[in-house]
Amino acid sequence: MIKQDKKIRIGDIIIDFEKKIMREVNGEPIQIQKKVWQVLQLLVIHYPGYVSRDVLIKEVWQDNYLVGDKALNTAIWHLRKIFHNDDIETPIETRRGKGYQLVIQPVEVTNIFPFQSLKTSPILTAGIVASVLLGFSLWFFSPVAPITNLSPESVTNHPGLEIFSSVSPDGNQLAYLHINMHKEYEVFIQNLNQKKLPPQRLDLGKGIKSTLVWSSNSEKIYYAHKIFDENYCMIKRYHLKSQSIDDIAQCRLSRNVYLALSHDDKHLLFTGKINDTSYGLLQLDLTQMNKKPVIFSCENCDHQDKDVAYSPDGKYLAISRRTNKLSENLFVRNIESGDESQLTFNETDLVGFSWLDKKHLLVASRKHGTYKSMLINRESKVIKHIDFTGFSYPSVSNNGSIYYSERGFVSRLTTIELPLKKINQAVEPQTSQIKKTQIQLGQSTPVSYIEKNYVIPRSLLESKLSFRSPHYSNSTKQLVYASNESGRYELWVSDANAENRQKITAFEHDIYYPRWSPDGSEIAFLSRGKLKDNNAIYIYDVEKKEIRQLPSPFANHNRPTWSHDGRSIITAVESGESSFIYQITLDGSMTQKLTSDFARYAVLKENGVLFYTKGYNDGLWIKNVSEKQEKKILSGDIFSTKYNWTLIDNTVVFHSLSDNASRVMQFDFNSQKLSVVGVLEENSLVTDGSFTYQENENRIVINQTRFPQADIKTINIAQLGELP
């Protein structure tokens, strides 16, 4: 038992109970309320045992259950946030029916390490050799004090997104990609010696451009060029002097394409398809004309290599590696020996990285809905966090300047009223294309409609925090969504108007895509949970306030929906480049494959009819689960989404992106009528969001954002101080 008059360390926090002082190991003070302090004292005193809620409320709130019951939940939440550590599932565990237990061992701090002098993680001392060795390993691999009080300068401030900044090897030019409100992609070059001059726009034609990579002589730029309407993807090379363009190699249309060029300009690495089921890095020999790319990544691995960068000395490659949609981490490979080492752990999404020198990497990561930055020593693996705002896609020049995109966005939950009983503004389908009451296999519905009486969305919630994947239970009259308001994505519920909000989980891992069961008694969601490289579907029992994992034979899943009887989960399971819809019973006793290739998201109706989306916006499909035959009932030209749609009786309400307009549309399966019910701001809809129907209000709730803004900033490496 730890005595109260001792100085102790819990994780990266130093506590002096006698002086009532709490500090981080880098000396930063932590302010907590008196009641929270008292809860911590009781948890420490009883370590490794647990403390019941009754005891905590009795000792801290003097048996005042009216106040203490809710206040205790808040105190535990604050303590979990203070002692959070990615290597530990949760610092304070809830023991169902018993109470709370501190799971990080408190260690007494002796005078060998004075309290005020702690600047980096010290060796833990517990009196035995094993504890000393353990303490050293914790110090060796722990982050050091973060870098704060930085003063970056603005390079761009145009409306829209400026991303993929890439500084030329001679340090004189900065290339970057600009995406405007209409999602038009243009590449610009800024003269860094004369920053007051306007940037030069490169005439690269229509279509989407990706990562920009300079040649060693600063005279050429490599990039990927996509045109989805023409099924076109090509790696290209732009010559600045002649303004000519070379086609280098075909690329994969359905994936983001990342590039890296060796320092001798002989080899180009880029992401692409390496076989029928895998996606990774390909290498192209630029010294030989018409040479085909060769496979660089392993062919039958359980991961996919994504982004890549050569070290300044050309001896190492930094590679971001994704094991599933919720897990991506950074690795370094010795090019000569092939040896690899992992630099980051438990990251969700890496959004760019660049070498500072041959030993240090500057890494951008998006986790819990926020952007963060890290300096990593590839040899010692020591990580130093940097206090940048919205940090992404860094590029480092040879003269010590760092360029990066500073991103910002506003998240919104909005509603659109539905004229379900009046679809009279729609026109009859063209009988020459399709029969009035029957859909022919291989055909899709006509897209004739008129735009009258549509509505503008009304906002329910709006914040710089994130609200994701709303789903409404018409049984309980509650809205559930995932939000990072508490520091990571947890489940939140509210009433129909997003009022009376309440966080209902403390899962300690990001939660995605919540979905109510038909009777409103349970919520299914997707999370990585305790799984480092895989994900799982979890079920939250609303009454018991318990979470259990869905038994599944698969390592990775997509967002879940429920069968009509609430006895099974419907989800897509990826298999290489493809995916299939499966039905999995809640007890795991039955798993049934329901669709053919490329199915992404599905809803199963009570009559055994499955509605689902396929591929990259390949329209809406339908089939009876007892039959093999499938039909496309709305083409991708009009049904422009994977996830933003919902079934309401005999209609489907969905997002449509056609004729350069963003609309919410409604299609009646019986009458074959199509109508516009709402018009959205361009690019405001969250592409992996959701539509959900509120029956009493006769409206849908959708997931929107303000069009994101990203400006390029710059800062000198000297401001970062001593590198780790």
Side-chain angles (χ1 to χ4, degrees), residues 614-628:
K614 293 179 68 172
Y616 183 83
N617 294 348
D618 192 21
L620 181 65
W621 294 69
I622 187 173
K623 68 168 293 193
N624 192 304
V625 295
S626 62
E627 302 174 359
K628 291 185 178 180

Side-chain angles (χ1 to χ4, degrees), residues 547-685:
I547 296 174
R548 68 185 187 276
Q549 184 175 331
L550 177 74
S552 169
F554 306 110
N556 289 293
H557 312 75
N558 202 349
R559 62 178 67 193
T561 60
W562 293 80
S563 61
H564 71 95
D565 58 7
R567 296 179 180 178
S568 58
I569 293 295
I570 313 300
T571 185
V573 175
E574 292 189 1
S575 177
E577 285 285 284
S578 188
S579 64
F580 308 88
I581 301 296
Y582 282 84
Q583 182 175 3
I584 307 172
T585 56
L586 294 185
D587 61 3
S589 61
M590 186 199 76
T591 300
Q592 181 182 359
K593 184 178 178 182
L594 302 181
T595 67
S596 60
D597 284 358
F598 304 111
R600 298 296 185 186
Y601 174 68
V603 175
L604 181 61
K605 302 294 287 184
E606 61 272 11
N607 57 359
V609 175
L610 188 76
F611 292 83
Y612 56 101
T613 53
K614 293 179 68 172
Y616 183 83
N617 294 348
D618 192 21
L620 181 65
W621 294 69
I622 187 173
K623 68 168 293 193
N624 192 304
V625 295
S626 62
E627 302 174 359
K628 291 185 178 180
Q629 189 180 40
E630 60 181 8
K631 299 177 182 179
K632 183 190 289 189
I633 56 175
L634 283 169
S635 72
D637 293 336
I638 193 70
F639 194 95
S640 318
T641 183
K642 289 195 192 88
Y643 307 115
N644 285 309
W645 56 279
T646 187
L647 297 171
I648 308 170
D649 296 328
N650 63 334
T651 70
V652 60
V653 178
F654 60 95
H655 177 238
S656 178
L657 187 62
S658 60
D659 302 325
N660 295 319
S662 181
R663 304 178 179 92
V664 174
M665 305 193 75
Q666 181 180 324
F667 177 71
D668 188 299
F669 297 114
N670 292 336
S671 68
Q672 303 287 293
K673 291 180 179 179
L674 187 66
S675 60
V676 177
V677 296
V679 175
L680 308 177
E681 299 173 56
E682 281 192 74
N683 305 307
S684 66
L685 192 69

Side-chain angles (χ1 to χ4, degrees), residues 56 97 101 124 151 155 191 200 224 282 372 391 424 456 547 573 578 583 591 596 600 604 610 639 665 718:
L56 288 167
Q101 179 186 29
L124 301 181
S151 301
V155 178
N191 187 324
Q200 173 192 357
L282 301 174
K372 66 177 184 179
F391 184 82
N424 53 14
I456 302 299
I547 296 174
V573 175
S578 188
Q583 182 175 3
T591 300
S596 60
R600 298 296 185 186
L604 181 61
L610 188 76
F639 194 95
M665 305 193 75

Side-chain angles (χ1 to χ4, degrees), residues 18-259:
E18 185 177 8
K19 296 181 179 180
K20 297 289 189 295
I21 297 173
M22 181 185 295
R23 292 182 181 274
E24 297 178 0
V25 293
N26 62 8
E28 294 296 322
I30 299 174
Q31 302 295 331
I32 62 173
Q33 295 178 351
K34 180 181 178 180
K35 298 294 186 184
V36 180
W37 184 269
Q38 291 172 345
V39 171
L40 174 61
Q41 282 182 301
L42 289 170
L43 292 172
V44 170
I45 290 171
H46 289 85
Y47 178 88
Y50 64 88
V51 188
S52 69
R53 287 184 65 89
D54 289 344
V55 169
L56 288 167
I57 293 173
K58 178 181 179 180
E59 295 294 330
V60 180
W61 287 275
Q62 291 75 49
D63 268 341
N64 187 342
Y65 274 82
L66 185 63
V67 176
D69 190 45
K70 187 174 182 180
L72 176 57
N73 294 335
T74 303
I76 294 296
W77 177 83
H78 278 294
L79 290 173
R80 282 172 171 159
K81 189 173 182 181
I82 290 171
F83 295 109
H84 168 70
N85 187 320
D86 281 342
D87 296 327
I88 297 172
E89 194 66 24
T90 174
I92 299 172
E93 288 190 351
T94 301
R95 299 300 184 190
R96 298 296 178 189
K98 295 182 178 181
Y100 298 100
Q101 179 186 29
L102 181 67
V103 296
I104 307 178
Q105 181 180 1
V107 180
E108 292 186 11
V109 180
T110 69
N111 290 330
I112 297 175
F113 302 103
F115 186 79
Q116 291 81 1
S117 64
L118 290 170
K119 296 298 181 183
T120 58
S121 303
I123 300 175
L124 301 181
T125 56
I128 57 175
V129 173
S131 294
V132 172
L133 292 175
L134 174 62
F136 178 77
S137 66
L138 288 173
W139 167 81
F140 189 75
F141 291 104
S142 293
V144 295
I147 302 170
T148 59
N149 300 321
L150 299 174
S151 301
E153 298 178 6
S154 295
V155 178
T156 67
N157 58 2
H158 310 297
L161 296 173
E162 283 97 36
I163 58 175
F164 295 144
S165 58
S166 179
V167 62
S168 60
D170 60 14
N172 295 326
Q173 301 174 93
L174 180 73
Y176 61 90
L177 179 65
H178 177 258
I179 307 172
N180 64 22
M181 287 283 292
H182 306 292
K183 280 203 169 181
E184 295 169 335
Y185 289 67
E186 295 183 315
V187 175
F188 287 86
I189 293 182
Q190 177 68 58
N191 187 324
L192 296 178
N193 297 319
Q194 299 180 9
K195 294 181 181 180
K196 293 184 178 181
L197 292 177
Q200 173 192 357
R201 185 180 69 85
L202 303 186
D203 186 9
L204 304 181
K206 69 173 185 177
I208 296 173
K209 288 81 178 179
S210 69
T211 316
L212 309 171
V213 177
W214 289 87
S215 62
S216 60
N217 62 6
S218 302
E219 295 180 357
K220 309 178 191 70
I221 295 176
Y222 292 80
Y223 64 99
H225 191 169
K226 299 180 183 181
I227 305 175
F228 281 97
D229 294 344
E230 301 176 11
N231 197 30
Y232 177 85
C233 185
M234 184 69 66
I235 307 294
K236 293 176 174 286
R237 178 172 55 204
Y238 180 84
H239 299 259
L240 269 71
K241 290 184 177 180
S242 64
Q243 299 183 14
S244 59
I245 300 175
D246 304 326
D247 290 344
I248 302 298
Q250 290 185 339
C251 50
R252 184 69 173 167
L253 186 65
S254 63
R255 296 277 186 167
N256 291 329
V257 180
Y258 298 89
L259 310 173

Side-chain angles (χ1 to χ4, degrees), residues 461 467 481 485 492-495 498-503:
L461 279 178
F467 313 111
Y481 55 91
E485 188 171 343
W492 289 70
V493 295
S494 70
D495 60 23
E499 297 175 347
N500 301 309
R501 299 183 301 114
Q502 179 185 4
K503 184 171 75 75

